[in-house]
Amino acid sequence: MSQPGDGTPTEPQYIRGVPHPLPEGERLLWEGAPAMKPVSTHVFHWRLIVAYFAAMLAFWAVSTEHQPGSEVYLASAVVRVSLSLFVLLAVLGLSRAVATTSWYAITSKRIVMRVGMAFPMSINIPFTIIESAGLGLFKDGTGQVTVTLQKQSRIAYIALWPHCRVFRFTNPEPVLRGLEEPHKVAEILATAVAEAAGADTRVERGGVAGRSGNSMGVPATAGA
């Protein structure tokens, strides 16, 4: 148990899902889980899936040789609608699984991602290996924070998925997805990185900003 300057003992801090406490001198600044709705909308794109199957059903309805109202027509329609609903429910179920099995945390020294639906694992991302970060905002008010790592600090794509940018296989970029308060999380992360790096750190906000030295860029455009 650590003690502050006045000698009063302080309780150890834990990240949800991590059995051991934070090391002495490290503080928990924020933690939270991705929300199911933005995950299903912006990660698994359930609206596009609905539109696709609706278009396929409409095309079948106007091009089929079966007489509308016949037994064969109705049986075929039931099968196609059932398969469409199965795929949609599978996507929603996957979104729920991601939301309920994932947990993000930001400490005074690192980002911790507790991920894995079948095999849970904790991924630690020290601030020292972060090259830059970006804030992505969506029209529904939710968003995500994307982290670009230094090239020598690569994390396996399969270990991150779906908490990473799509198609970035060679240099996977971790993503804190489904955030209902993305501005708050980005602000906490930017401030924490600046404080951890010291006086040489430059934090840029409001535009697409790269990282120069120890600067943290937080752009205001959403990315996949």
Side-chain angles (χ1 to χ4, degrees), residues 17 135 175-176 193:
L135 170 62
V175 180
L176 306 184
V193 172

Side-chain angles (χ1 to χ4, degrees), residues 36-61:
M36 176 183 168
K37 184 177 179 180
V39 168
S40 63
T41 302
H42 305 299
V43 179
F44 297 109
H45 305 287
W46 71 268
R47 293 173 181 172
L48 292 179
I49 293 174
V50 170
Y52 170 79
F53 281 110
M56 291 298 100
L57 288 170
F59 177 79
W60 170 81

Side-chain angles (χ1 to χ4, degrees), residues 20 44 49 57 66 69 88 91 101 114 128 132 156 158 179 182 188 195 214 218:
H20 54 270
F44 297 109
I49 293 174
L57 288 170
H66 302 301
L88 179 60
V91 168
T101 60
R114 181 73 174 170
T128 53
S132 63
I158 190 64
L179 303 177
I188 291 173
E195 291 179 351
N214 288 323
V218 184

